[in-house]
Amino acid sequence: MTRYDLALIGFGGVNRALAELINSKGAELAEELGFSLRIVAITDLRLGSLVQPDGIDLPTVLALGPGDGDFSRHPGGSWEPRNQWVIQNSTADIVAEATFTNPNDGEPAVSHVRWALEAGKHVCTTNKGPVALRGHELKELAAANGVSFEFEGSVISGTPIIRLAQRMFAGLALEGVEGILNGTCNYILGRMESGLGLEEAVKEAQDLGYAEADPTADIEGFDVQLKVVILANELLGAKLTRADVPREGISALTAADIAHAAANGQRWKLIGSAKRRDDGSIYARVAPVALPNDHPLAGISGPTNAVAFETDLLGQVTVSGPGAGRTETAYALLSDIIAIHEGTPGRTSGSANRIEAARV
């Protein structure tokens, strides 16, 4: 059976959830999917780095709490998060990149992805930065090195809208896409409909873990802007940058705006959209929109995300699902790994001197 060795870059909620999934369901997944997964390297800002070519003992690592020190006390461990060394020199076949998103230049995630691709390793990432800001360049680099660059979780977590559109809409002309791409904003707007002010709704979202301590990226539309760039470029064949996508968040919406929309059978939603003009060019934007109650996106409530695709033969097709959550996003990484496997038939794990060991 084929085996893939993984290096996890970042060991916060998402990659930790992926490790938990492999630890608890690894045998079941191997039987179902036809390949097995083994984690051989982990890096983390708090814990440092851990490299064990024969496989990391996951129960031990997953049991580490905030006060239990770093990886330096473990064989193959260091207090330093040696990201570049681990990516370039570990025996991993696949690098799972799940660090924070830098909306300005995509670093350090862009470098993480580049190092891996240059080293001939597949990459799966949940990070919007590398895809939105350097996607074309990184895909070309992946192709040049004969490896895969997968990023399903970069838009709405575990809901596979990119792969759905690319694989299931074959034979259809996709003319546009619009969606609720930020669950935090959607939750906040719903609470404002219930009578809370913006600041109260943001505080509640923070208390529930939906919003960061600094909610600017969410409520001012920066997060959605990156996701729109990804959707436009990946699904509509555009070559947009952030500068091409006008952005307006929800911070200017007032209680009066909310009430006025309700009185007219409408609901405010922060909408990211990209549409093909008659001349073939792509127009995209991020802005709050008062949608009529019969619009398919108007009924999407709470932290849920949804995307409506405009097609030539089916008309509008709407898909909704979780837009956040550590387990849901970890599933996106797993779906990327499955796509990598499907794109590399017969591939065995690791270097040539470990091929036989990968067979069971």
Side-chain angles (χ1 to χ4, degrees), residues 121-136:
K121 301 177 189 294
H122 302 290
V123 175
C124 54
T125 185
T126 60
N127 200 311
K128 297 178 289 293
V131 190
L133 304 179
R134 294 288 185 271
H136 181 70

Side-chain angles (χ1 to χ4, degrees), residues 107-181:
E107 294 292 356
V110 167
S111 291
H112 295 162
V113 174
R114 183 181 295 114
W115 293 333
L117 298 176
E118 289 174 343
K121 301 177 189 294
H122 302 290
V123 175
C124 54
T125 185
T126 60
N127 200 311
K128 297 178 289 293
V131 190
L133 304 179
R134 294 288 185 271
H136 181 70
E137 165 195 336
L138 294 173
K139 285 192 293 182
E140 286 191 337
L141 183 60
N145 286 279
V147 291
S148 299
F149 174 40
E150 302 288 340
F151 40 83
E152 184 61 65
S154 64
V155 178
I156 60 172
S157 185
T159 305
I161 59 167
I162 297 176
R163 204 163 284 128
L164 172 72
Q166 291 174 334
R167 295 186 179 183
M168 302 304 293
F169 289 173
L172 299 176
L174 190 60
E175 301 299 336
V177 58
E178 63 177 355
I180 297 169
L181 305 176

Side-chain angles (χ1 to χ4, degrees), residues 153-216:
S154 64
V155 178
I156 60 172
S157 185
T159 305
I161 59 167
I162 297 176
R163 204 163 284 128
L164 172 72
Q166 291 174 334
R167 295 186 179 183
M168 302 304 293
F169 289 173
L172 299 176
L174 190 60
E175 301 299 336
V177 58
E178 63 177 355
I180 297 169
L181 305 176
N182 186 278
T184 300
C185 283
N186 204 49
Y187 177 84
I188 289 170
L189 290 171
R191 296 302 289 141
M192 291 177 69
E193 289 175 344
S194 299
L196 295 186
L198 176 65
E199 291 185 6
E200 292 176 287
V202 169
K203 176 63 166 57
E204 186 173 284
Q206 290 170 327
D207 291 343
L208 291 169
Y210 298 149
E212 301 290 341
D214 180 359
T216 303

Side-chain angles (χ1 to χ4, degrees), residues 30 84 350:
Q84 184 171 4

Side-chain angles (χ1 to χ4, degrees), residues 71-84:
F71 287 145
S72 62
R73 65 182 67 187
H74 300 271
S78 169
W79 61 269
E80 295 180 281
R82 300 181 298 160
N83 291 349
Q84 184 171 4

